[in-house]
């Protein structure tokens, strides 16, 4: 009877699964079989009632566990269930057991996929697993060197608050006996990953000590991938093994292959050169003259740590601030422009003309991805994850940077898992390839170098929101976005002590209170994804879109006329050299309660950066016409021009918000004889500094005289019109 009942249960469940597939668009055979399994198990478990017979000596234990007892199906049913479970999921290899590998393994496991994680080390953690050993080639140029995966130095602390380093459902909490600091040391991050792997039972999925040396597609029709791994049997002997998988997810990151600065004479320079990947402790640099290349987080940390030991430290950086100067808070450290060349006699020559007789050069210049195809661009990859021609069977998690790593990793991992389980569908191969080509085309057009392909920066939040949309989940909290973009300002404000001086919890609480209020129009428009909206003006009201900043300070106007000529060249700003605020704002660098206009501009720049608005702006685009062309579909043509080109361009939007204010079109006072008066007339819009009116009087009329209503007459040289503005009609 048990066999007949089991067969009936499975048949009933499968028939119901067929019904679901026909009536509710269940997309694949895996879901069909899964539906049958659920119904079959339900029938079987409800027919076979659990026994309540207990031993009198164990009443307490049995009564407590009775409610959670699981009834085993008959032998045949159990065999069929195991068989069907094996048939319904793909066998997936995950390369890497660090942050990305662990969260990817969890998401794949949640979707019922059969997961195997290959980890080279003997422990979870990836780059967060500290190793005092370093590469046998400190500079990382020898392809045959013995590679140590970790780049951690002994004193390293995280440079992001723990509040944004955890996962959506597994925050990076302070725990008893752990590092209580908001910016903890690397040991605390490793403990977090160990707890994560244990709590989600991932340890049994990991093959420790297995280094993947080859991943190869051997059967494209059946998406069969061979993963070759090796294990160290003895100090000099390795054993290799091949295994077939249906999908592979690469999660070994981008922090192993050092990227070395290029300059003439580098290879012939006689001193010690090393990459920051191989830096561990500062004692090696005692009484040494050190040249440190780079200005990222690792460069700043290493400079701070070695300067008490080194005789001198010379930091070479790129950018407009690269000039010879002594670094603040350091008696023995200087900043230079980049290295011009290195000489065989040990001297290092900088572009600023200075020369240093150095002992060590440390390259704090980042890392290349270990699967780089072309200049640090891995690809083509659709949305930094799937290869269009091999999707979804080959994917990458954790390639993007300039973002909060854990958030991007988790969303990418969820996306990969949902796609492989059939719950989320990818676009066609052609559509994915077109998307990648469009990205490359836009990068080339904007002059963005190829090696920045996977740099998110301003695109970070749009990318996260896009992933959340694919998954039909809520995007990350907005305060995390703002915190990420505020980090550089926080570091600048608090200096080297930002990790301990900044009250992060209080900052988050205040920010959340602000976000519960009514943000400006630009934030609201950015949240809305349904319509294509044009915002004309990027001052306080527009808060950045389409045009130059309203508060841009220009020292002199182009035309010295009151503003009557419709063809005049308009300078939008009306700020003069000593302009101060008439309102009070506590967010300031200018210490005055009523600061100068420069501080307002800085405030708006910070606002645009903190809310990720810069990528929305088309600088240098002047809107000259807005016209409704289709009332039914609410389509608007926005016509604009740029200084670089004579032609005017048009683009269609579904809504337009005018935010260019009322401060451009001057309103001129009306009085008899105004147009024939021979002296200089100007509107206050064009006033900048006092010097132009030296030895002149401030008011006037007619043949050089000004007649006031009071009857008094003044011989004047200049008339200033402080009479406000008219709204300029562009619609």
């Amino acid at each position: 009877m048990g066999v007949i009942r089991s067969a009936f249960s499975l048949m009933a469940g499968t028939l119901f699964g067929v019904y679901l597939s026909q009536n509710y668009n269940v997309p694949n055979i895996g879901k069909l079989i899964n539906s049958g399994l659920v119904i079959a198990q339900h029938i079987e478990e409800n027919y076979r009632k659990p026994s309540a017979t207990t031993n009198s000596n164990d009443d307490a234990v049995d009564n407590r566990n009775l409610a959670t007892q699981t009834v085993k199906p008959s032998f045949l049913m159990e065999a069929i269930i195991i068989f069907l479970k094996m048939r319904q999921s793909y066998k997936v290899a995950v390369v890497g057991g660090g942050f990305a590998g662990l969260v990817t393994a969890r998401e794949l496991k949640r979707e019922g996929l059969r997961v195997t994680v290959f980890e080279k080390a003997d422990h979870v953690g990836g780059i967060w697993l500290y190793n005092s050993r370093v590469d046998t080639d400190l500079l990382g140029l020898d392809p045959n060197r013995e590679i140590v995966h970790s780049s951690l130095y002994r004193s390293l602390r995280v440079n992001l608050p723990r509040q944004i380093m955890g996962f959506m459902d597994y925050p990076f909490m302070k725990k008893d006996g752990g590092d209580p600091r908001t910016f903890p040391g690397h040991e605390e991050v490793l403990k977090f990953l160990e707890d994560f792997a244990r709590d989600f039972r991932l340890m049994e999925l990991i093959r420790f000590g297995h280094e993947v040396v080859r991943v190869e597609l051997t059967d494209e029709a059946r998406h069969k991938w061979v993963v070759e791994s090796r294990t160290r049997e003895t100090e000099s002997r390795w054993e290799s093994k091949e295994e077939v998988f249906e999908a592979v997810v690469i999660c070994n990151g981008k922090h192993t292959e050092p990227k070395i600065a290029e300059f003439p004479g580098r290879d012939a320079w006689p001193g010690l050169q090393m990459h920051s990947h191989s830096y561990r402790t500062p004692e090696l640099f005692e009484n040494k003259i050190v040249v440190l290349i780079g200005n990222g987080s690792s460069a700043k940390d290493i400079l701070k740590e070695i300067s008490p030991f080194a005789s001198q430290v010379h930091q070479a950086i790129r950018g407009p601030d690269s000039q010879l100067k002594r670094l603040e808070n350091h008696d023995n450290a200087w900043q230079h422009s980049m290295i011009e060349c290195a000489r065989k006699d040990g001297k290092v020559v900088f572009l600023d003309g200075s020369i240093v007789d150095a002992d060590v050069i440390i390259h704090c210049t980042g890392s290349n991805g270990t699967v780089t195809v072309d200049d640090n661009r891995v690809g083509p990859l659709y949305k930094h994850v799937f290869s269009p021609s091999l999707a979804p069977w080959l994917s990458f998690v954790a390639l993007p940077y300039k973002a909060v790593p854990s958030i991007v990793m988790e969303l990418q991992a969820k996306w990969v898992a949902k796609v492989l389980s059939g719950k989320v569908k990818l676009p066609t191969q052609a559509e994915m390839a077109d998307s990648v080509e469009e990205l490359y085309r836009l990068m080339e057009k904007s002059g963005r170098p190829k090696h920045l392909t996977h740099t998110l920066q301003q695109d970070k939040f749009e990318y996260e929101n896009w992933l959340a949309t694919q998954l039909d989940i809520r995007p990350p909290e907005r305060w995390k976005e703002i915190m990420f973009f505020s980090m550089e300002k926080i570091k600048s404000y608090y200096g080297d002590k930002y990790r301990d001086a900044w009250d992060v919890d209080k900052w988050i609480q205040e920010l959340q209170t602000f976000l519960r209020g009514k943000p400006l129009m630009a934030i609201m428009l950015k949240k809305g994804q349904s319509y294509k909206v044009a915002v004309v003006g990027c001052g306080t009201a527009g808060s950045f879109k389409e045009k130059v900043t309203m508060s841009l300070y220009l020292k002199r106007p182009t035309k010295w006329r009151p503003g009557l000529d419709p063809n005049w060249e308009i300078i939008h700003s009306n700020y003069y050299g000593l302009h101060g605020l008439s309102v009070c704002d506590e967010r300031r660098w200018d210490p005055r309660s009523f600061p100068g206009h420069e501080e307002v501009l800085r405030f708006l720049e910070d606002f645009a950066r903190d809310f990720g608005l810069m990528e929305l702006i088309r600088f240098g685009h002047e809107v000259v016409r807005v016209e409704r062309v289709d009332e039914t579909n609410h389509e608007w043509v926005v016509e604009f021009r740029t200084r670089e080109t004579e032609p005017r361009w048009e683009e269609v939007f579904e809504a337009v918000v005018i935010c260019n204010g009322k401060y451009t079109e001057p309103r001129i006072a009306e009085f008899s004889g105004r147009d024939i008066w021979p002296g200089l007339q100007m509107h206050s819009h064009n006033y900048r500094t006092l010097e132009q009116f030296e030895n002149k009087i401030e008011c006037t009329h007619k043949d050089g005289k000004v007649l006031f209503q009071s009857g008094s007459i003044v011989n004047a040289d200049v008339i200033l019109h402080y009479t406000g503005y008219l709204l300029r009609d562009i619609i």
Side-chain angles (χ1 to χ4, degrees):
M1 287 295 294
V3 173
I4 296 173
R5 185 172 62 251
S6 297
F8 172 76
S9 300
L10 181 61
M11 181 179 67
T14 304
L15 287 173
F16 186 74
V18 172
Y19 171 78
L20 286 177
S21 68
Q22 292 178 344
N23 293 278
Y24 294 95
N25 196 29
V26 178
N28 59 32
I29 190 64
K31 288 190 175 182
L32 172 61
I33 294 173
N34 190 59
S35 301
L37 279 171
V38 172
I39 302 302
Q41 286 179 306
H42 181 74
I43 294 172
E44 183 74 9
E45 290 178 10
N46 278 275
Y47 188 88
R48 293 168 61 86
K49 300 297 182 182
S51 173
T53 305
T54 59
N55 186 298
S56 59
N57 296 327
D58 297 322
D59 283 347
V61 175
D62 283 340
N63 288 334
R64 185 174 64 250
N65 293 334
L66 184 60
T68 59
Q69 285 182 353
T70 302
V71 181
K72 290 186 177 181
S74 65
F75 174 79
L76 177 60
M77 185 64 184
E78 186 172 3
I80 293 173
I81 289 173
I82 293 173
F83 172 76
L84 289 176
K85 280 187 175 180
M86 290 179 64
R87 294 291 297 172
Q88 71 170 332
S89 63
Y90 295 117
K91 185 179 179 184
V92 184
V94 175
V95 181
F99 239 111
L102 291 176
V103 71
T104 300
R106 182 189 71 165
E107 298 304 327
L108 293 169
K109 181 183 176 184
R110 281 177 165 178
E111 293 301 319
L113 297 157
R114 293 173 289 154
V115 185
T116 300
V117 180
F118 292 88
E119 171 52 48
K120 178 182 177 181
D122 295 324
H123 202 280
V124 298
I127 63 169
W128 294 101
L129 182 61
Y130 177 74
N131 191 336
S132 60
R133 295 170 53 247
V134 297
D135 291 8
T136 52
D137 173 15
L138 295 181
L139 200 53
L141 296 177
D142 182 3
N144 298 316
R145 73 190 186 279
E146 183 178 352
I147 298 174
V148 176
H149 187 67
S150 176
S151 300
L152 297 183
Y153 37 95
R154 187 176 60 190
S155 64
L156 182 139
R157 290 174 64 184
V158 299
N159 60 2
L160 291 175
R162 66 165 73 230
Q163 287 89 337
I164 56 174
M165 287 189 66
F167 299 116
M168 295 179 186
D169 58 352
Y170 197 88
F172 188 9
M173 304 290 290
K174 299 177 183 179
K175 293 189 176 181
D176 294 339
D179 187 338
R181 296 175 294 182
T182 299
F183 294 82
H186 58 81
E187 303 90 345
E188 184 77 356
V189 183
L190 180 61
K191 182 65 168 60
F192 167 76
L193 293 175
E194 291 170 342
D195 293 344
F196 181 82
R198 183 195 64 246
D199 292 347
F200 289 100
R201 299 184 63 182
L202 304 177
M203 298 297 285
E204 60 263 32
L205 306 179
I206 307 173
R207 295 183 186 173
F208 291 109
H210 284 63
E211 179 185 3
V212 173
V213 294
R214 179 172 63 96
V215 175
E216 183 180 353
L217 179 63
T218 58
D219 188 337
E220 188 170 355
R222 293 187 293 175
H223 46 87
K224 299 294 183 183
W225 294 81
V226 167
V227 175
E228 182 183 355
S229 61
R230 67 176 185 175
T231 57
R232 186 189 290 274
E233 296 299 311
T234 65
E235 189 64 29
S236 59
R237 188 171 68 87
W238 294 80
E239 180 177 331
S240 296
K241 178 183 178 182
E242 293 184 355
E243 190 170 351
V244 176
F245 293 85
E246 293 162 297
V248 180
V249 188
I250 307 297
C251 302
N252 59 348
K254 53 188 177 296
H255 298 287
T256 297
E257 193 72 22
K259 183 170 63 179
I260 306 302
E262 299 284 347
F263 50 84
R266 184 195 68 188
D267 297 338
W269 189 73
L272 171 66
Q273 293 189 65
M274 65 184 296
H275 191 273
S276 58
H277 168 77
S278 295
Y279 173 79
R280 294 295 182 269
T281 59
E283 290 79 10
L284 174 67
F285 307 98
E286 189 167 4
N287 298 323
K288 297 285 196 285
I289 297 177
V290 181
V291 172
L292 189 149
I293 305 173
N295 196 32
S297 297
S298 63
K300 293 174 181 177
D301 283 349
I302 292 173
L303 187 150
K304 179 182 176 182
E305 188 163 302
I306 68 174
S307 57
F309 292 85
S311 172
Q312 298 176 17
V313 181
H314 298 268
Q315 183 185 19
I317 70 170
R318 298 186 187 276
D321 296 329
S322 57
Q323 55 183 318
L324 178 59
K325 64 180 181 180
R326 186 186 295 273
L327 290 171
E328 294 182 9
N329 304 319
H330 295 283
D331 296 328
N332 63 338
W334 291 264
Q335 182 186 94
H336 300 259
S337 57
M338 284 302 291
I339 296 175
E340 181 178 344
C341 66
R343 298 176 180 173
K344 292 182 179 179
D345 60 0
K347 290 182 172 58
V348 175
V349 181
F350 298 93
L351 290 172
D352 57 30
S354 58
I355 301 175
V356 173
D357 195 352
D359 301 301
V360 182
I361 297 177
I362 305 177
H363 297 248
C364 301
T365 44
S367 304
N368 292 313
T370 56
V371 289
T372 296
V373 174
D374 185 13
D375 193 14
N376 214 32
R377 171 184 284 175
V378 182
L381 291 182
Y382 176 64
K383 300 296 183 181
H384 309 284
V385 175
F386 290 107
S387 169
S389 62
L390 299 171
W393 316 115
L394 178 65
S395 56
F396 296 81
V397 170
L399 283 179
Y401 54 104
K402 295 292 184 182
V404 180
S406 59
I407 295 176
V408 173
M409 290 175 190
E410 185 175 10
L411 290 171
Q412 287 182 329
K414 288 179 181 292
W415 187 33
V416 170
K418 295 289 187 183
V419 168
L420 287 174
S421 67
K423 294 180 180 178
V424 172
K425 186 179 180 181
L426 288 175
T428 65
Q429 178 179 333
E431 290 171 336
M432 289 190 286
D434 289 344
S435 175
V436 177
E437 286 303 315
E438 176 67 9
L439 170 64
Y440 293 172
R441 187 187 65 80
L442 291 175
M443 288 184 63
E444 184 177 358
K445 183 179 179 181
S446 64
R448 190 177 183 184
K450 188 180 296 183
H451 69 269
L452 296 180
T453 299
H454 304 296
T455 304
L456 294 182
Q457 195 71 2
Q458 299 292 344
D459 300 330
K460 163 186 158 47
F461 305 118
E462 295 301 322
Y463 181 68
E464 291 174 358
N465 291 340
W466 184 90
L467 287 172
T469 301
Q470 307 308 302
L471 299 166
D472 196 23
I473 61 176
R474 295 182 62 182
E477 298 94 330
R478 192 161 190 81
W479 64 264
K480 293 182 179 180
E481 302 180 10
I482 301 172
M483 176 179 282
F484 174 77
F485 273 119
S486 300
M487 284 305 303
E488 288 306 314
K489 184 174 181 180
I490 294 295
K491 292 176 184 178
S492 175
Y493 182 79
Y494 289 107
D496 291 340
K497 298 180 180 179
Y498 75 93
R499 291 180 174 94
D500 299 308
W502 182 24
D503 189 340
V504 178
D505 290 328
K506 180 180 178 182
W507 188 92
I508 293 173
Q509 183 180 4
E510 292 176 349
L511 181 60
Q512 288 176 326
T513 300
F514 167 75
L515 291 177
R516 284 193 292 267
K518 297 180 178 179
L520 294 180
M521 177 64 73
I523 303 176
M524 301 305 294
L525 289 176
K526 186 168 181 263
K527 283 185 175 181
Q529 302 295 323
S530 299
Y531 297 112
K532 184 179 180 182
V533 181
V535 177
V536 181
C538 67
T540 307
S543 284
F544 295 90
K545 239 184 182 176
E546 296 255 342
K547 220 178 175 186
V548 295
T549 303
M550 184 180 69
S551 50
L552 175 64
Y553 171 47
L554 300 175
K555 290 187 176 179
R556 60 178 296 276
T558 305
K559 291 274 189 177
W560 290 80
R561 291 293 299 155
L564 299 178
D565 181 1
N567 298 313
W568 69 330
E569 183 180 358
I570 299 175
I571 302 297
H572 192 66
S573 175
N574 68 334
Y575 282 172
Y576 44 90
L578 301 177
H579 195 287
L581 280 184
S582 58
V583 294
C584 181
D585 180 10
E586 294 183 356
R587 284 187 59 184
R588 61 185 184 271
W589 292 93
D590 186 333
R592 298 175 295 178
S593 296
F594 296 84
H597 57 80
E598 301 93 344
E599 183 72 0
V600 183
L601 177 59
R602 195 153 41 231
F603 167 78
L604 292 175
E605 291 171 340
D606 291 344
F607 181 87
R609 185 192 65 249
D610 291 349
F611 287 96
L613 303 178
M614 295 298 287
E615 69 268 23
L616 307 179
I617 308 170
R618 298 181 187 175
F619 290 107
H621 286 60
E622 180 185 4
V623 174
V624 295
R625 178 175 62 94
V626 175
E627 181 180 354
R628 192 175 194 174
V629 294
D630 189 332
E631 185 172 352
T632 304
N633 296 318
H634 46 85
E635 290 184 352
W636 296 77
V637 165
V638 175
E639 182 182 357
F640 56 89
R641 65 182 179 185
T642 63
R643 287 186 178 274
E644 291 76 14
T645 57
E646 287 299 326
R648 297 185 178 188
W649 307 92
E650 294 183 355
E651 188 170 349
V652 177
F653 293 84
E654 293 164 296
V656 180
V657 184
I658 306 298
C659 301
N660 60 347
K662 52 188 180 294
Y663 297 103
T664 298
E665 193 74 20
R667 185 174 65 189
I668 306 302
E670 297 287 345
F671 50 84
S672 300
R674 182 194 68 185
D675 296 337
I676 61 173
W677 185 73
L680 170 67
Q681 296 188 58
M682 65 182 295
H683 190 274
S684 59
H685 170 83
N686 288 317
Y687 170 75
R688 293 297 182 270
T689 60
L690 292 171
E691 288 77 9
Q692 66 223 43
F693 304 110
E694 188 175 358
N695 298 324
K696 294 182 180 180
I697 302 175
E698 199 167 346
C699 299
T700 263
H701 185 258
K702 220 165 187 177
D703 56 349
K705 297 182 175 61
V706 174
L707 175 64
F708 291 95
Q709 291 182 352
S710 62
S712 61
I713 300 175
V714 176
N715 287 319
D717 300 301
V718 178
I719 295 177
L720 294 176
H721 297 251
Y722 288 93
T723 45
Y725 297 83
L726 296 171
L727 291 176
R728 189 180 183 191
D729 184 10
I730 65 170
I731 299 181

